[in-house]
């Protein structure tokens, strides 16, 4: 039982003696709801690192690889996310199991590792939540977060955002063909543009956004299956 749980349990015992069962039932429902909410909300890698991992990894205390040490993390990264996560879950050397915080979920630990790797020169994709559905992002949000890295300037032959003359030949077979190509990866573009958690619908919206950028018609039409022209 965590310290927070013990504290809440103590409050419940005191309330029972002073106010009886009606109030206890109210408190119990409140605590259960708060607990369920906490369990269903997974923190980002940065949040976990700031709250837990930074205690050692920010300074390299007790031999922990320091965040930002590219050489140290490059060596660790060769083990992959699965290998590093297993060590973190079981504990290794001075690192206790679950980083000393048993409340951390496996996904939160994976995210924390990914965050530290990326802050140290890596380019890993942070795992998506296994309990909380990811809110759908707009085409503009997806483009700004990832697609613009190549499509803004046409890197590697990528059609530029808003360059309809470049996009029209690609879209002639239909929008679904373009989306499938984005899902599988094409040429120098990795699968899903390098964002593993990007959904098919988001890829569709991003493609439409890049085609329509600058025309004022950048919202994806509902149920679109053909090229938007």
């Amino acid at each position: 039982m965590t310290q927070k749980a013990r504290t809440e349990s103590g409050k419940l015992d005191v309330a029972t003696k002073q106010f009886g069962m009606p109030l206890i039932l109210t408190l119990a429902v409140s605590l259960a709801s708060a607990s369920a909410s906490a369990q269903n909300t997974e923190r980002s890698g940065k949040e976990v690192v700031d709250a837990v991992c930074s205690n050692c990894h920010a300074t390299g205390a007790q031999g922990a690889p320091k965040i930002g040490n590219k050489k140290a993390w490059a060596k660790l990264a060769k083990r992959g996310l699965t290998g590093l996560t297993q060590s973190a879950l079981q504990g290794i050397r001075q690192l206790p199991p679950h980083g000393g915080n048993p409340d951390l979920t496996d996904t939160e630990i994976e995210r924390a590792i990914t965050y530290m790797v990326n802050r140290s020169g890596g380019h890993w994709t942070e795992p998506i939540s296994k309990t909380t559905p990811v809110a759908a992002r707009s085409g503009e949000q997806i483009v700004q977060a990832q697609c613009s890295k190549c499509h803004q300037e046409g890197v590697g032959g990528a059609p530029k955002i808003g360059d309809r003359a470049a996009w029209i030949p690609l879209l002639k077979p239909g929008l679904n063909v373009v989306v499938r190509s984005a899902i599988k990866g094409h040429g120098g573009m990795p699968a899903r543009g390098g964002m593993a958690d990007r959904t098919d619908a988001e890829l569709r919206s991003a493609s439409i956004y890049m085609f329509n950028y600058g025309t004022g018609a950048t919202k994806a039409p509902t149920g679109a299956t053909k090229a938007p022209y």
Side-chain angles (χ1 to χ4, degrees):
M1 180 181 292
T2 64
Q3 180 60 43
K4 181 178 179 181
R6 285 193 292 271
T7 300
E8 298 298 348
S9 178
K11 291 179 181 178
L12 203 58
D13 290 339
V14 172
T16 302
K17 296 176 181 178
Q18 293 182 349
F19 304 105
M21 286 304 298
L23 178 59
I24 299 315
L25 292 175
T26 301
L27 284 172
V29 171
S30 176
L31 292 175
S33 298
S35 176
S37 176
Q39 292 175 356
N40 290 330
T41 303
E42 291 177 329
R43 290 161 287 188
S44 68
K46 183 179 187 305
E47 289 173 327
V48 174
V49 170
D50 289 346
V52 182
C53 312
S54 61
N55 293 333
C56 292
H57 288 284
T59 61
Q62 301 185 56
K66 186 177 180 180
I67 299 172
N69 186 332
K70 294 184 178 181
K71 183 177 181 180
W73 281 99
K75 182 178 180 180
L76 290 171
K78 291 180 180 180
R79 296 180 55 201
L81 181 57
T82 300
L84 294 181
T85 300
Q86 184 176 9
S87 293
L89 292 174
Q90 297 177 350
I92 182 172
R93 292 188 288 277
Q94 301 300 317
L95 175 71
H98 274 259
N101 187 336
D103 291 334
L104 291 177
T105 67
D106 292 4
T107 299
E108 287 175 328
I109 289 178
E110 290 175 343
R111 289 177 173 183
I113 292 171
T114 298
Y115 176 80
M116 290 189 286
V117 168
N118 289 344
R119 286 294 302 274
S120 308
H123 298 87
W124 291 8
T125 299
E126 186 167 292
I128 62 175
S129 174
K130 293 182 175 67
T131 61
T132 304
V134 178
R137 293 158 291 188
S138 68
E140 181 179 8
Q141 289 174 320
I142 292 295
V143 170
Q144 290 180 345
Q146 187 75 357
C147 309
S148 60
K149 294 177 182 178
C150 292
H151 288 281
Q152 186 69 47
E153 301 296 334
V155 176
K160 290 185 179 181
I161 299 171
D163 185 349
R164 296 169 74 85
W167 280 95
I168 286 176
L170 298 176
L171 289 166
K172 279 188 178 295
L175 182 58
N176 284 342
V177 175
V178 173
V179 175
R180 281 197 298 271
S181 179
I183 291 172
K184 296 179 180 179
H186 178 76
M189 182 180 72
R192 296 188 183 278
M195 290 178 69
D197 64 341
R198 189 187 306 183
T199 67
D200 295 359
E202 289 173 335
L203 285 170
R204 178 185 296 275
S205 295
S207 298
I208 293 174
Y209 177 87
M210 289 189 286
F211 175 81
N212 285 327
Y213 182 79
T215 68
T218 54
K219 291 184 178 181
T222 302
T225 58
K226 297 181 179 181
Y229 59 86

